[in-house]
Amino acid sequence: MSSRLPVSGDAVPYRLRLPGPTAVPERVLRALARPMIAHRGPEFLERFRDIQARLKPILGRAGAEPHLFAATGIGAMESAVVNVAGPGKRVLIATNGQWGPVFRRLAEAVGAEVDEVVTGPGEAVDLEGVERALKAKEYAAVFGVHSESSTGVLTDLKALGAIVARTPALFAVDSVSGLAGAEMRQDDWQVDVVVSASQKALMCPPGLALASVSDKAWDAIQRDDRGPRSYFDYRRFRPNSEKGEPTYTAPVTMMTALHEALTMIGEEGLDVTLARHRRLSSALTAGAVAMGFTLFPKAPTSPTVVVLETPDGIDATALIDRLADGYNTIIAGTRFENLKHRMIRIGTMGAVSEGDVLTDLHHLASATRDLGGRADEAAGLAAAAEVLAGRA
């Protein structure tokens, strides 16, 4: 992969179009540069409590306050695992991409007994398989992925949550690449634990994680049978979060950045933000397909990432490198070895505009032609324009 780095004064601007981390808006960058303030002073605590209040409608949660802590996305996932699983606990993972196996690794690391219901990359979660597994055995928890960024599939959390809710199991969901870009209705969909992180649709650099926990989950989490917990112990988080205070020394500048990002979402309006993500994802998909690319997922698609197969004769790794070296546009490939020469992934999350999508299509067409392929750019731009105008 190209090692191209952004350079000030580049003739062609550096375009970070990954499915996370995403480009950080100028307003958020300026917030990061504000002076440091006392991490438990009144100004910071006011900001912290406003962050919690602004997150709750995005989560679809009316109950307990969300927890905020320094961690990566996988740190957020681990926090869910150590609080709802543990030595000897049996858990079920609904896997249809690369993040289910991460949940498996984390659960096995704490001594849990793990079963999986697996479908192929690009396919929907096997709801009937999950239901059969839950009837056959008793589980402490079921883990799922909201937006499977490796394949572009959006999980039907409402249906999956209803299946799990008929059992004693807790339902824990990774929404790292979903939250604030794809609708989340934690209470209505009976999701017991939602975890996410800052660097995707929340428009911030990596480094902040969050967790939102249902009342049902608290009944299990507060018990001492979940194995050793320390930094990620939600029992430590809860009394502080309910008071509107961080549990540990807060990453103050990152909290300031998140506050600014959430303010921007509030100004746009959450419904408008979610609709923008759907519209831009659909426009990029329509344009790319019209140019000869193939949509990879065979199930309902995530509005935060577009996953495509390249046209015949175009190697995906070569296309990714050409986009980086020739156009300063950085997109992603895949970790699936059998797909690495066919699959590309482009983020449609966070501070993305119609202009970004049209530029993506122009660069995709140009880079494809550079590699000797054919791409009907006019058809691609016209198809995207139909979606953006609401005519498709």
Side-chain angles (χ1 to χ4, degrees):
M1 183 164 180
S2 172
S3 59
R4 183 73 169 87
L5 296 174
V7 177
S8 177
D10 274 338
V12 180
Y14 181 87
R15 303 182 66 246
L16 186 63
R17 302 294 293 116
L18 299 173
T22 61
V24 178
E26 184 65 31
R27 278 179 60 175
V28 177
L29 291 174
R30 290 198 299 269
L32 283 163
R34 290 177 192 163
M36 183 65 64
I37 59 176
H39 71 293
R40 295 192 185 277
E43 182 182 358
F44 176 75
L45 293 180
E46 180 181 1
R47 188 175 299 162
F48 186 89
R49 290 160 189 165
D50 195 46
I51 290 170
Q52 290 180 305
R54 290 177 182 273
L55 280 172
K56 290 175 79 169
I58 296 173
L59 288 157
R61 178 79 174 114
E65 300 296 329
H67 311 309
L68 292 129
F69 49 99
T72 63
I74 292 180
M77 295 171 71
E78 181 168 333
S79 78
V81 170
V82 299
N83 281 279
V84 305
K89 297 293 181 183
R90 185 175 294 280
V91 301
L92 181 67
I93 300 170
T95 293
N96 65 336
Q98 78 176 45
W99 296 109
V102 173
F103 267 135
R104 170 182 273 279
R105 171 169 60 82
L106 296 171
E108 289 177 341
V110 299
E113 298 180 17
V114 181
D115 293 333
E116 278 185 279
V117 174
V118 180
T119 53
E123 297 179 6
V125 165
D126 181 0
L127 297 176
E128 292 181 356
V130 171
E131 190 165 23
R132 285 194 301 271
L134 288 170
K135 288 178 179 178
K137 298 177 184 178
E138 184 170 322
Y139 291 92
V142 176
F143 293 96
V145 178
H146 185 195
S147 167
E148 180 47 83
S149 59
S150 69
T151 64
V153 173
L154 187 72
T155 296
D156 185 347
L157 295 182
K158 180 179 180 181
L160 188 53
I163 292 169
V164 179
R166 294 195 287 269
T167 77
L170 301 178
F171 183 31
V173 169
D174 155 21
S175 189
V176 172
S177 72
L179 195 70
E183 183 180 33
M184 170 60 73
R185 297 172 62 180
Q186 182 179 5
D187 289 344
D188 292 346
W189 295 345
Q190 303 174 89
V191 182
D192 295 302
V193 180
V194 177
V195 293
S196 192
S198 55
Q199 74 271 21
K200 303 214 176 196
L202 288 172
M203 303 186 291
C204 290
L208 264 181
L210 65 94
S212 180
V213 182
S214 75
D215 295 336
K216 176 184 174 182
W218 279 120
D219 290 340
I221 289 169
Q222 66 187 0
R223 298 197 295 265
D224 291 326
D225 63 349
R226 286 307 194 261
R229 288 171 276 177
S230 182
Y231 180 80
F232 290 134
D233 191 341
Y234 290 170
R235 297 170 301 180
R236 292 175 179 266
F237 290 177
R238 187 178 191 181
N240 294 288
S241 296
E242 293 301 315
K243 290 186 293 183
E245 299 177 2
T247 302
Y248 308 114
T249 300
V252 174
T253 54
M254 284 292 296
M255 293 286 190
T256 301
L258 179 59
H259 186 259
E260 188 67 27
L262 293 173
T263 300
M264 292 173 65
I265 292 171
E267 291 170 356
E268 184 178 26
L270 178 59
D271 289 344
V272 176
T273 297
L274 297 175
R276 172 172 57 82
H277 280 79
R278 293 191 298 270
R279 184 176 70 255
L280 296 181
S281 174
S282 296
L284 180 55
T285 299
V289 169
M291 294 194 311
F293 291 78
T294 303
L295 183 64
F296 178 76
K298 302 169 183 63
T301 56
S302 171
T304 66
V305 57
V306 173
V307 181
L308 303 163
E309 292 186 61
T310 54
D312 289 343
I314 299 298
D315 183 272
T317 59
L319 181 63
I320 292 165
D321 286 348
R322 181 59 190 151
L323 284 165
D325 294 334
Y327 301 91
N328 245 358
T329 289
I330 312 301
I331 68 170
T334 180
R335 295 181 183 177
F336 296 113
E337 188 65 26
N338 63 320
L339 296 171
K340 71 177 183 180
H341 295 293
R342 296 163 44 206
M343 180 188 284
I344 61 171
R345 298 181 299 134
I346 305 173
T348 51
M349 59 182 76
V352 179
S353 69
E354 294 183 4
D356 289 316
V357 166
L358 297 176
T359 302
D360 290 338
L361 292 170
H362 171 56
H363 286 179
L364 276 174
S366 300
T368 299
R369 292 193 297 266
D370 292 344
L371 296 174
R374 300 177 61 184
D376 189 339
E377 182 175 344
L381 294 174
E386 286 288 307
V387 174
L388 295 174
R391 294 192 292 268

